[in-house]
Structure formats: structure tokens, C-alpha cells
Amino acid sequence: MARFTLPRDIYYGSGAIDELKNLKGYKKAMILTGGSSMKRGGFLQKVEDILHEIGVETQLFEGIEPDPSIETVFKGAAAMRKFLPDVIVAIGGGSPIDAAKAMWVFYEHPEATFEEIKKPFNIPKLRNKAIFVAIPSTSGTATEVTAFSVITDYSTNIKYPLADFEITPDIAILDTDIPLTMPKTLTAHTGMDALTHAIEAYVAFARSDFSDPLALKAISDIYDSLIDSYYGDKDARGKMHIAQCLAGMAFSNALLGIAHSLAHKTGAMFDIPHGCCNAILLPSVIQYNAKVCADRYATIARMLGLTGNTDKQLTDALIDSIKELNKKLGIAQTYKENGVSEELFKQHIDEIAANAVLDPCTGSNPRKIDAEGMKKVLTCAY
Ligand code: NDP
Ligand code: MN
């Protein structure tokens, strides 16, 4: 027995934000966003205007920080409990949308604790108070269609991926005009996050006939469009926005692997953006996993037109192509080149490896791994 879950409605394309008008009949919308990018782009105003036009009262909660904290989640949930929205609209990158998903849980269930809900598939029933609309502004996390929300505990510098289909948004709006305002580096990092999602989903333990085509199509489209998107090509930006979402539908079900386990533990520790951590780790992770799933990597390589006579050669070609892609996107390939000193790395490697083993993404990695193995992969990426 297995389950495959998709979100309900996805509106996509240029100007898709107008589909917010479908919320007619709701009374109160809490709008959540990050710093200032959505304001600067005029998208926040647009959301407010459309909602006001259809008679929905709004309240804004802004300033959600990148890699949101538990404290921010509690603050937002308290604001929701005061305003009592029947619809939650999160617009921005993965951070504000993830934070809003966790706020939603504590809004509907003030009695819940973070300790409880961070256990996989332990989130109580939602939608008694509000439905959730996600409007992503970056093209990477796919949180608008996933069962995940990544929240950081800054007392330990550990990122916790909350996981439950209950927090999959009800409505995703992929307006391809919104990612057009992303700067180059953000485009590169979020794009490599999306590629890592697709590749990890294609080999992950819970992969299926449902998730495989989504993962492969995402990988192919990301290879086709990420570099042009990086250089600001409008169509390529749009294609990336859709491709990252396909990857999201794949990994929300197939789950991920140790690139994400390690990215979750090194991102906060070394203050490196999530997508950049994945970009650094992916080649070493493929190398490690190839022992058990080189045939799957070979399929990806063949699809991309890479050449080799054996699965091993094709896997190596895939690894080389990822390194090449990183280079073209201006991403430094190692932790060291990203400014992590040898001293800091050595000081934390044991702790990171031990925590990474416990990350929920480790259980779905195709090859088993212990702390020693994690240290080896990390060292290869240093
Ligand atoms: P963030 O949401 O962290 O945003 C990073 C920066 O990008 C912010 O400064 C933000 O500015 C800016 N920004 C966002 N959109 C635009 C835009 N269109 N134009 C200009 N600037 C913009 O980035 P990500 O989307 O990469 O999210 C990363 C987070 O998501 C991490 O915490 C990661 O762990 C998590 N994640 C979640 C997954 C899931 O399934 N839930 C999967 C993978 C990662 P401002 O604040 O001003 O808006
Ligand atoms: Mn990710």
C-alpha cells in the first residue's frame, strides 16, 4: 500500500495572481510575507487590492526572516489568533511560506507544541479555521505544493523539517511574473535547490511510478532553463518556476535524501543559503549513493544527453555536469570556498554528522548511512 498526494489547485502563468479573486466569499485574509521584496515588486499591493475588491478584509504580517525561527512562528500564530482569518495568504520565498504553514498549525491548535509537531506526520487536523494559499516568489523550495515546512531552532542552530500532508497548501498560485525580480545569485541558489529536490526524489526510498515522471521532467527542464534564467531570460524564469513545482510534487511524496539532511544541518551552522548548501553537497552525495542506485543516475544522465558506456561512467558524467552547472551559475563548489574556515569545520563536523543522521530526510536516502559516512560525504564537500 502506498499513497500519492497532490495539492488541490495550482494556478500558473503570467498574471496568475489575479486568481486570488476566487477567494470571494471568504471574510478575513491574513497576508504573510518576508522583508521588502514583495512590496518593492508591487506584488503585495496587488494581493491587497484584489482581496479588497472582492470584499475580503486583510491584515498584514511582514518581516518574516530568511530561515524562519520558532519565535517568529509563535508571533505569527498569536497575530492570527487575534485577527481570526478564514484564509491565510503567504507570498514570498520559501521562508515566509514555510513560517506561515507552521503558524497555521499553532493558530488552529494553540495547545500544540513544537516538540510534538516536529515528529513526522504528527500534525493535527487543519482547516477548521482557515484555508491556505501560497504564492511563491522564488523558484526552488516548491513549498507551495509540499507537505514540508522548515523551521530553525536558533538555540541549537538546527533546521527542523516539519512533515505532514496536512500542511500542504490548498491553493498554489505560480505567477511567473513574480520570480522575474529575483537577483542572479538567488536565482542560482534556488534553482540548484530545485535540481537537488528532483534528483534526490528520483532515487529516494519512497519514489514511485507517480513521482518518477515529475522528477525527470523537472530535471530536464531545469537543465534546459536554469542558466538562461540566471541571466534573466523571461521565458526561462517562467519555465524554472513551473519546473521547481514539478520537483516539489515529486519530492513531497518520494521524499529526499542526505543532501538535504546535511544542508539542513550546515545551512544554519555556517550561514550558507539552503540552495547553495545543496549545490555544494549534491556531487558528493551522488558519489556516495551510486553504490546502490547508479542505474537511476545513469537514466538521468542519458536523458540529459550525457555519454558513457557503463552506469558508473554515466554517473560520473552526471556529477561532472552538475559541477559544470554550479560553475556557470557562479556557485563556489565547496564549503571552504564559501568561507567556512578549517577550524570552524573541524569544530562542528562531529555534531553536524550526528544530527544529520537524525534528520527525517536520512530515512528516505537510497543508501543507508551512519555518522562516519556523513563525515566522509561532508569532508568530500569541504
Ligand atoms: P527565502 O524565502 O529564504 O528568501 C531569501 C531572500 O530572497 C530574501 O531576502 C527575500 O527577500 C528574497 N526574495 C524572495 N523572492 C524574491 C523576489 N522575487 N525578488 C527579489 N528578492 C526576493 O528563500 P528560499 O525560497 O530559497 O527559501 C529558503 C527556505 O526554504 C529555507 O529555510 C529552506 O530550508 C526552506 N526550504 C523549504 C522546503 C519545503 O519543502 N518547505 C524545501 C526546501 C527548502 P524578502 O525577505 O525581502 O522577501
Ligand atoms: Mn530544499
PDB file of all heavy atoms in Angstrom, residues 46 67 81 102 118 128 130 144 162 190 238 243 330 365:
ATOM      1  N   LYS A  46      -0.799  44.330  -4.944  1.00  0.00           N
ATOM      2  CA  LYS A  46      -1.719  43.646  -5.846  1.00  0.00           C
ATOM      3  C   LYS A  46      -2.584  42.654  -5.071  1.00  0.00           C
ATOM      4  O   LYS A  46      -3.807  42.583  -5.266  1.00  0.00           O
ATOM      5  CB  LYS A  46      -0.904  42.909  -6.921  1.00  0.00           C
ATOM      6  CG  LYS A  46      -1.670  42.725  -8.178  1.00  0.00           C
ATOM      7  CD  LYS A  46      -0.754  42.563  -9.362  1.00  0.00           C
ATOM      8  CE  LYS A  46      -1.621  42.619 -10.616  1.00  0.00           C
ATOM      9  NZ  LYS A  46      -0.936  42.209 -11.793  1.00  0.00           N
ATOM     10  N   ASP A  67      15.106  31.681   6.579  1.00  0.00           N
ATOM     11  CA  ASP A  67      15.273  30.581   7.535  1.00  0.00           C
ATOM     12  C   ASP A  67      14.563  30.922   8.854  1.00  0.00           C
ATOM     13  O   ASP A  67      15.195  31.141   9.892  1.00  0.00           O
ATOM     14  CB  ASP A  67      16.765  30.289   7.789  1.00  0.00           C
ATOM     15  CG  ASP A  67      17.484  29.983   6.493  1.00  0.00           C
ATOM     16  OD1 ASP A  67      16.924  29.248   5.663  1.00  0.00           O
ATOM     17  OD2 ASP A  67      18.601  30.504   6.293  1.00  0.00           O
ATOM     18  N   ARG A  81      -4.398  34.402  15.898  1.00  0.00           N
ATOM     19  CA  ARG A  81      -5.429  34.125  16.904  1.00  0.00           C
ATOM     20  C   ARG A  81      -6.187  35.392  17.269  1.00  0.00           C
ATOM     21  O   ARG A  81      -7.351  35.345  17.664  1.00  0.00           O
ATOM     22  CB  ARG A  81      -4.797  33.492  18.149  1.00  0.00           C
ATOM     23  CG  ARG A  81      -4.433  32.030  17.925  1.00  0.00           C
ATOM     24  CD  ARG A  81      -4.266  31.270  19.221  1.00  0.00           C
ATOM     25  NE  ARG A  81      -3.108  31.718  19.961  1.00  0.00           N
ATOM     26  CZ  ARG A  81      -1.870  31.207  19.793  1.00  0.00           C
ATOM     27  NH1 ARG A  81      -1.664  30.254  18.909  1.00  0.00           N
ATOM     28  NH2 ARG A  81      -0.874  31.652  20.515  1.00  0.00           N
ATOM     29  N   ALA A 102       3.651  26.807   9.444  1.00  0.00           N
ATOM     30  CA  ALA A 102       3.783  26.423  10.857  1.00  0.00           C
ATOM     31  C   ALA A 102       2.889  27.292  11.747  1.00  0.00           C
ATOM     32  O   ALA A 102       2.297  26.798  12.710  1.00  0.00           O
ATOM     33  CB  ALA A 102       5.244  26.528  11.293  1.00  0.00           C
ATOM     34  N   LYS A 118       7.053  18.464  15.385  1.00  0.00           N
ATOM     35  CA  LYS A 118       8.246  18.187  14.574  1.00  0.00           C
ATOM     36  C   LYS A 118       8.440  16.685  14.340  1.00  0.00           C
ATOM     37  O   LYS A 118       9.278  16.287  13.531  1.00  0.00           O
ATOM     38  CB  LYS A 118       9.490  18.866  15.154  1.00  0.00           C
ATOM     39  CG  LYS A 118      10.104  18.211  16.338  1.00  0.00           C
ATOM     40  CD  LYS A 118      11.306  19.014  16.785  1.00  0.00           C
ATOM     41  CE  LYS A 118      12.114  18.197  17.761  1.00  0.00           C
ATOM     42  NZ  LYS A 118      12.859  18.962  18.721  1.00  0.00           N
ATOM     43  N   ASN A 128     -10.026  23.769  10.109  1.00  0.00           N
ATOM     44  CA  ASN A 128     -11.242  24.084  10.866  1.00  0.00           C
ATOM     45  C   ASN A 128     -11.419  25.593  10.931  1.00  0.00           C
ATOM     46  O   ASN A 128     -12.519  26.095  11.039  1.00  0.00           O
ATOM     47  CB  ASN A 128     -11.152  23.531  12.287  1.00  0.00           C
ATOM     48  CG  ASN A 128     -11.278  22.023  12.288  1.00  0.00           C
ATOM     49  OD1 ASN A 128     -12.082  21.471  11.533  1.00  0.00           O
ATOM     50  ND2 ASN A 128     -10.482  21.350  13.095  1.00  0.00           N
ATOM     51  N   ALA A 130      -9.097  27.943   8.886  1.00  0.00           N
ATOM     52  CA  ALA A 130      -8.682  28.670   7.671  1.00  0.00           C
ATOM     53  C   ALA A 130      -8.147  27.725   6.604  1.00  0.00           C
ATOM     54  O   ALA A 130      -7.676  26.628   6.916  1.00  0.00           O
ATOM     55  CB  ALA A 130      -7.596  29.685   8.039  1.00  0.00           C
ATOM     56  N   GLU A 144       4.975  25.626  -1.907  1.00  0.00           N
ATOM     57  CA  GLU A 144       3.555  25.845  -2.247  1.00  0.00           C
ATOM     58  C   GLU A 144       2.807  24.545  -2.536  1.00  0.00           C
ATOM     59  O   GLU A 144       1.579  24.535  -2.531  1.00  0.00           O
ATOM     60  CB  GLU A 144       3.441  26.819  -3.439  1.00  0.00           C
ATOM     61  CG  GLU A 144       3.862  26.270  -4.811  1.00  0.00           C
ATOM     62  CD  GLU A 144       5.375  26.299  -5.039  1.00  0.00           C
ATOM     63  OE1 GLU A 144       6.112  26.685  -4.114  1.00  0.00           O
ATOM     64  OE2 GLU A 144       5.816  25.933  -6.148  1.00  0.00           O
ATOM     65  N   LEU A 162       9.367  20.147   9.297  1.00  0.00           N
ATOM     66  CA  LEU A 162       8.072  19.594   9.700  1.00  0.00           C
ATOM     67  C   LEU A 162       7.523  18.878   8.475  1.00  0.00           C
ATOM     68  O   LEU A 162       7.674  19.376   7.357  1.00  0.00           O
ATOM     69  CB  LEU A 162       7.107  20.706  10.114  1.00  0.00           C
ATOM     70  CG  LEU A 162       7.621  21.767  11.088  1.00  0.00           C
ATOM     71  CD1 LEU A 162       6.518  22.769  11.381  1.00  0.00           C
ATOM     72  CD2 LEU A 162       8.140  21.126  12.361  1.00  0.00           C
ATOM     73  N   THR A 190      18.368  29.028  -5.601  1.00  0.00           N
ATOM     74  CA  THR A 190      17.053  28.388  -5.535  1.00  0.00           C
ATOM     75  C   THR A 190      16.917  27.369  -6.666  1.00  0.00           C
ATOM     76  O   THR A 190      16.307  26.316  -6.488  1.00  0.00           O
ATOM     77  CB  THR A 190      15.910  29.418  -5.565  1.00  0.00           C
ATOM     78  OG1 THR A 190      16.088  30.287  -6.681  1.00  0.00           O
ATOM     79  CG2 THR A 190      15.895  30.257  -4.304  1.00  0.00           C
ATOM     80  N   GLY A 238      10.172  31.694 -16.226  1.00  0.00           N
ATOM     81  CA  GLY A 238       8.845  31.091 -16.123  1.00  0.00           C
ATOM     82  C   GLY A 238       8.927  29.573 -16.105  1.00  0.00           C
ATOM     83  O   GLY A 238       8.266  28.899 -15.309  1.00  0.00           O
ATOM     84  N   ALA A 243       9.016  24.212 -13.317  1.00  0.00           N
ATOM     85  CA  ALA A 243       9.841  23.014 -13.107  1.00  0.00           C
ATOM     86  C   ALA A 243      10.082  22.748 -11.616  1.00  0.00           C
ATOM     87  O   ALA A 243      10.017  21.600 -11.155  1.00  0.00           O
ATOM     88  CB  ALA A 243      11.175  23.153 -13.840  1.00  0.00           C
ATOM     89  N   GLY A 330      28.063  30.544 -11.041  1.00  0.00           N
ATOM     90  CA  GLY A 330      28.876  31.325 -10.099  1.00  0.00           C
ATOM     91  C   GLY A 330      28.825  30.800  -8.676  1.00  0.00           C
ATOM     92  O   GLY A 330      29.031  31.547  -7.715  1.00  0.00           O
ATOM     93  N   ASN A 365      16.884   8.262   2.145  1.00  0.00           N
ATOM     94  CA  ASN A 365      18.041   8.189   1.245  1.00  0.00           C
ATOM     95  C   ASN A 365      18.195   6.747   0.741  1.00  0.00           C
ATOM     96  O   ASN A 365      18.014   5.800   1.498  1.00  0.00           O
ATOM     97  CB  ASN A 365      19.311   8.612   2.006  1.00  0.00           C
ATOM     98  CG  ASN A 365      20.471   8.865   1.079  1.00  0.00           C
ATOM     99  OD1 ASN A 365      20.421   9.785   0.255  1.00  0.00           O
ATOM    100  ND2 ASN A 365      21.512   8.047   1.175  1.00  0.00           N
TER     101      ASN A 365
END
